[in-house]
Amino acid sequence: MAKFSTDDALDLAVGPHFRLEDVKPDSTPHFDWDEDDWEEYFHKHDDELRDLQEMLYANYRAGVEGTGNILLVLQGMDTSGKGGIVRHVVSVFDPKGVTLASFGKPTDEELQHDFLWRVEKELPKPGFVGVFDRSHYEDILIQRVNQMAPAEEIERRYGAIVAWEADLVKKGTRIIKVMLHISRDFQEENLLERIEREDKHWKYNPGDITERTKWDDYMEAYQIALTRTSTATAPWYCVPSDNKPYARMVVKYLLLNELRAMNLSWPEADFDPEEEKERLKNS
């Protein structure tokens, strides 16, 4: 029987000698693919995940000092499965303790500020799990490939991101950065499905094919971004994602690992339970 653990998910972290070209998008590291085994391991810790997230939110509601939060950053080429992660993984949580933000082309107002300005406004509050479906990394990936910003500005942004994320961690945010790595052939299949199926037309953008012609440039941009901004406190995880169920399982275990590491407990009652029981009895 195939097995999978949080340690297996953590093993996909990007280190100093990481090479994107060595990661096979159709592979399932540490898991001999079997759909029945996947089903078991995908749902194995759902109750624990729900409880831990509720504890996190409860601490926020109770005003517990030092309550942290989690920021899940999802990046990947078009059709890599970012939305599927939100639907199938993040949905295990109580939605009242979850925030979701997506970042597209900057507005005129956003362009008047530093590139991190619009991202800062979408950060999760203490007690929340925040999800970025695309993120601040758009402003170094797309702009590098399309030469939308000077080279020296792109270089500055790598350092700015590392410093900004380090500050978030110091303030109590646990950052999980996931690159959903798919193959060019897999993307072609997904784009074709969006073109052919009426119920998928809303997902299709003709500009996706334009960006697809720059595939090699994007892979180079990802290689640089991942190695330049993967740190001990805010590492990247490069997750092979041609097999979408496998990728969803990995992300779920990364979330489980961070929630466990927070050493959460239920907030203490600000009332006397015995006294309240007596009041209830006599009410």
Side-chain angles (χ1 to χ4, degrees), residues 3-16:
K3 296 183 179 181
F4 198 78
S5 68
T6 54
D7 286 344
D8 293 327
L10 293 171
D11 193 54
L12 300 179
V14 171

Side-chain angles (χ1 to χ4, degrees), residues 156-204:
R156 182 192 74 82
R157 292 181 183 183
Y158 295 125
I161 285 175
V162 170
W164 182 70
E165 290 179 347
D167 186 59
L168 291 180
V169 172
K170 286 181 181 178
K171 293 176 179 177
T173 298
R174 306 185 77 92
I175 304 174
I176 307 169
K177 300 184 296 191
V178 176
M179 183 214 173
L180 299 167
H181 185 38
I182 59 172
S183 66
R184 192 168 186 170
D185 288 344
F186 184 75
Q187 187 195 58
E188 181 179 358
E189 293 173 10
N190 283 294
L191 288 175
L192 182 61
E193 182 181 52
R194 291 182 179 184
I195 293 170
E196 292 182 335
R197 287 180 50 176
E198 183 176 336
D199 63 326
K200 300 284 187 179
H201 287 174
W202 66 275
K203 287 186 173 184
Y204 181 70

Side-chain angles (χ1 to χ4, degrees), residues 221-236:
Y222 269 106
Q223 169 70 40
I224 296 170
L226 267 58
T227 53
R228 293 281 292 275
T229 63
S230 188
T231 64
T233 54
W236 273 103

Side-chain angles (χ1 to χ4, degrees), residues 57-71:
Y57 184 73
N59 276 271
Y60 153 72
R61 287 292 303 272
V64 175
E65 187 175 352
T67 299
N69 56 21
I70 291 177
L71 174 61

Side-chain angles (χ1 to χ4, degrees), residues 43 45-47 49-50 53 86-95 252 255:
H43 293 293
H45 302 285
D46 283 1
D47 289 342
L49 280 163
R50 291 188 190 99
Q53 188 245 346
V86 176
R87 288 192 300 274
H88 297 280
V89 177
V90 181
S91 60
V92 74
F93 297 142
D94 188 327
K252 186 178 277 191
L255 284 163

Side-chain angles (χ1 to χ4, degrees), residues 18-259:
F18 171 81
R19 295 201 315 167
L20 185 58
E21 62 186 30
D22 292 339
V23 180
K24 296 180 179 179
D26 62 350
S27 64
T28 57
H30 305 295
F31 189 76
D32 295 327
W33 178 255
D34 179 276
E35 189 168 354
D36 290 337
D37 289 350
W38 168 83
E39 187 76 26
E40 176 182 344
Y41 276 88
F42 184 70
H43 293 293
K44 186 175 184 179
H45 302 285
D46 283 1
D47 289 342
E48 182 182 1
L49 280 163
R50 291 188 190 99
D51 286 347
L52 288 170
Q53 188 245 346
E54 189 174 4
M55 282 184 196
L56 179 62
Y57 184 73
N59 276 271
Y60 153 72
R61 287 292 303 272
V64 175
E65 187 175 352
T67 299
N69 56 21
I70 291 177
L71 174 61
L72 173 62
V73 174
L74 301 174
Q75 283 290 153
M77 296 294 285
D78 294 314
T79 81
S80 60
K82 297 179 289 294
I85 296 292
V86 176
R87 288 192 300 274
H88 297 280
V89 177
V90 181
S91 60
V92 74
F93 297 142
D94 188 327
K96 67 175 176 286
V98 176
T99 61
L100 174 65
S102 183
F103 300 92
K105 182 180 178 181
T107 65
D108 290 340
E109 180 188 13
E110 290 167 347
L111 288 171
Q112 301 303 311
H113 300 269
D114 182 74
F115 77 106
L116 290 172
W117 179 79
R118 64 174 181 162
V119 184
E120 186 85 32
K121 297 191 298 180
E122 301 293 345
L123 288 171
K125 296 186 295 185
F128 281 73
V129 175
V131 183
F132 283 177
D133 179 351
R134 299 186 185 272
S135 67
H136 41 299
Y137 285 93
E138 292 290 285
D139 290 296
I140 52 176
L141 293 165
I142 292 177
Q143 297 203 20
R144 181 186 183 94
V145 169
N146 293 291
Q147 301 179 344
M148 298 167 66
E152 58 270 21
E153 171 60 15
I154 297 297
E155 287 297 317
R156 182 192 74 82
R157 292 181 183 183
Y158 295 125
I161 285 175
V162 170
W164 182 70
E165 290 179 347
D167 186 59
L168 291 180
V169 172
K170 286 181 181 178
K171 293 176 179 177
T173 298
R174 306 185 77 92
I175 304 174
I176 307 169
K177 300 184 296 191
V178 176
M179 183 214 173
L180 299 167
H181 185 38
I182 59 172
S183 66
R184 192 168 186 170
D185 288 344
F186 184 75
Q187 187 195 58
E188 181 179 358
E189 293 173 10
N190 283 294
L191 288 175
L192 182 61
E193 182 181 52
R194 291 182 179 184
I195 293 170
E196 292 182 335
R197 287 180 50 176
E198 183 176 336
D199 63 326
K200 300 284 187 179
H201 287 174
W202 66 275
K203 287 186 173 184
Y204 181 70
N205 179 352
D208 292 346
I209 293 181
T210 302
E211 294 304 297
R212 174 178 161 79
T213 63
K214 307 166 188 174
W215 186 275
D216 291 343
D217 293 333
Y218 270 105
M219 293 304 102
E220 180 183 8
Y222 269 106
Q223 169 70 40
I224 296 170
L226 267 58
T227 53
R228 293 281 292 275
T229 63
S230 188
T231 64
T233 54
W236 273 103
Y237 298 92
C238 183
V239 180
S241 299
D242 278 10
N243 185 320
K244 290 185 178 182
Y246 170 79
R248 293 165 187 166
M249 181 177 68
V250 171
V251 176
K252 186 178 277 191
Y253 277 71
L254 291 172
L255 284 163
L256 176 64
N257 178 73
E258 293 302 326
L259 282 164

Side-chain angles (χ1 to χ4, degrees), residues 58-59 61-64 265-273:
N59 276 271
R61 287 292 303 272
V64 175
S265 60
W266 295 109
E268 293 184 8
D270 58 359
F271 54 87
D272 183 331

